[in-house]
Amino acid sequence: MSAAAAAGTWRLGDLEVNRIGYGTMRLTGNGMMGNSDGPPIDRDVAVGLLHSAFEQGVNHVDTAAFYFSPLRSANELLNRALSSWRGDVVVATKVGPARAPSGEWLHRGGPDQLRGQVEENLRQLGRDHLDVVNLRVDGPRTASVAEHFGALAELREAGLIRHLGLSGVLPEHVVEAQAIAPVVCVQNSYGLDSRRADERGLVDLCGEQGIAFVPFFAVSGRRREAAADQERDARVLSVARAHNATPAQVRLAWTLHRGPHVLAIPGTANPAHLAENIAAGALRLTEEELAVLDKPDMGTVRTQP
């Protein structure tokens, strides 16, 4: 059994994937916000990292055409890796937001612009159809997803898309979309320190309807795209010590314990962190440890400057 299979599997429609996946955003230099503080990752290194993930059993990868920095595109790097890989990998991408080639964010387009975004992803990934396309919206600021999701449902009927999902949504958006076409996954920010999806009942709703819940920022939490920081949560540190695990592994394990329909897509450009993230799928937390993690933060652990 591969390392990524230790957490079990889930089905995105007719596509079975290991619950531990990989997010490509960090390959670009935190390109979601259009910045790149350091030198761009070497293309061969990036392809090698992706192949390493596949070799360890990762068969579900998250990407987007708007994941790019001045010199690197996540889709381009993923295309290179997949073109030289013989195994099956499910690729989930997102549409809705758009960026100019300069990196500047553009106004969110109407439903009629989604076909162009889908075709852009097809070109960049070198595919004739997309496995999963998530409609990314603005949560509470979005009154309805019907028009945009309906446009994607038409592209699904036309064969450009295999399965549909949602991202950044509220429970009512899921209900609305399900009335138009099947929703196979929901991607929202979620983790030990950011549980709005629990407060709104979204995680449970997905489980009840057989929809994969795919959290992003499960490790970084409120730091979002920021670089990794030293763990200061005493709850996480105590559980990590008990398992001889890293804090990131504990955070991922906590997320996966939330339900069999919960997946993880941690991203990194560090091979050691990649292996640690994948190994988190084998970490089994006790009920007592889960209770400790669910308690209010016992306070941060101060370190010497």
Side-chain angles (χ1 to χ4, degrees), residues 282-293:
L283 181 57
R284 302 291 182 260
L285 304 179
T286 67
E287 292 298 324
E288 292 77 11
E289 289 167 338
L290 290 170
V292 167
L293 293 171

Side-chain angles (χ1 to χ4, degrees), residues 56-284:
Q56 294 175 71
V58 168
N59 58 4
H60 166 221
V61 178
D62 173 72
T63 187
F66 51 81
Y67 285 174
F68 66 87
S69 57
L71 294 175
R72 292 293 180 268
S73 156
N75 277 357
E76 179 241 336
L77 295 172
L78 185 54
N79 185 344
R80 289 188 179 220
L82 291 172
S83 66
S84 54
W85 180 257
R86 294 183 179 275
D88 293 327
V89 177
V90 173
V91 177
T93 188
K94 286 174 287 297
V95 296
R99 291 170 65 188
S102 64
E104 179 184 2
W105 287 99
L106 305 175
H107 291 295
R108 187 176 295 271
D112 57 326
Q113 294 180 285
L114 292 180
R115 185 181 183 107
Q117 294 185 13
V118 166
E119 290 177 344
E120 181 181 13
N121 276 280
L122 288 169
R123 283 191 298 271
Q124 292 179 359
L125 291 167
R127 295 195 158 193
D128 58 6
H129 75 277
L130 300 174
D131 295 327
V132 180
V133 173
N134 293 307
L135 174 64
R136 179 63 184 266
V137 301
D138 291 327
R141 291 190 291 273
T142 301
S144 170
V145 300
E147 284 192 82
H148 286 77
F149 196 79
L152 291 180
E154 292 178 3
L155 297 178
R156 175 176 172 267
E157 290 297 321
L160 275 69
I161 302 170
R162 191 163 183 173
H163 297 296
L164 297 174
L166 296 164
S167 179
V169 294
L170 303 176
E172 51 264 39
H173 295 140
V174 178
V175 174
E176 185 181 33
Q178 283 275 67
I180 298 170
V183 175
V184 302
C185 61
V186 170
Q187 279 192 4
N188 271 42
S189 176
Y190 179 75
L192 183 60
D193 299 328
S194 180
R195 307 190 202 179
R196 196 164 294 173
D198 272 335
E199 296 165 7
R200 293 170 172 159
L202 183 59
V203 180
D204 288 337
L205 173 67
C206 288
E208 292 163 4
Q209 297 197 13
I211 299 171
F213 183 75
V214 189
F216 52 87
F217 303 144
V219 175
S220 61
R222 296 188 181 96
R223 296 196 312 276
R224 297 171 64 83
E225 295 95 348
D229 194 11
Q230 186 172 16
E231 181 65 63
R232 296 178 182 274
D233 189 316
R235 301 169 302 173
V236 175
L237 290 169
S238 67
V239 175
R241 283 193 295 269
H243 288 273
N244 193 29
T246 68
Q249 288 177 316
V250 171
R251 288 180 175 273
L252 287 170
W254 178 88
T255 303
L256 292 169
H257 274 74
R258 186 60 184 78
H261 66 297
V262 178
L263 278 57
I265 47 170
T268 181
N270 183 311
H273 291 169
L274 172 67
E276 290 172 358
N277 291 342
I278 294 172
L283 181 57
R284 302 291 182 260

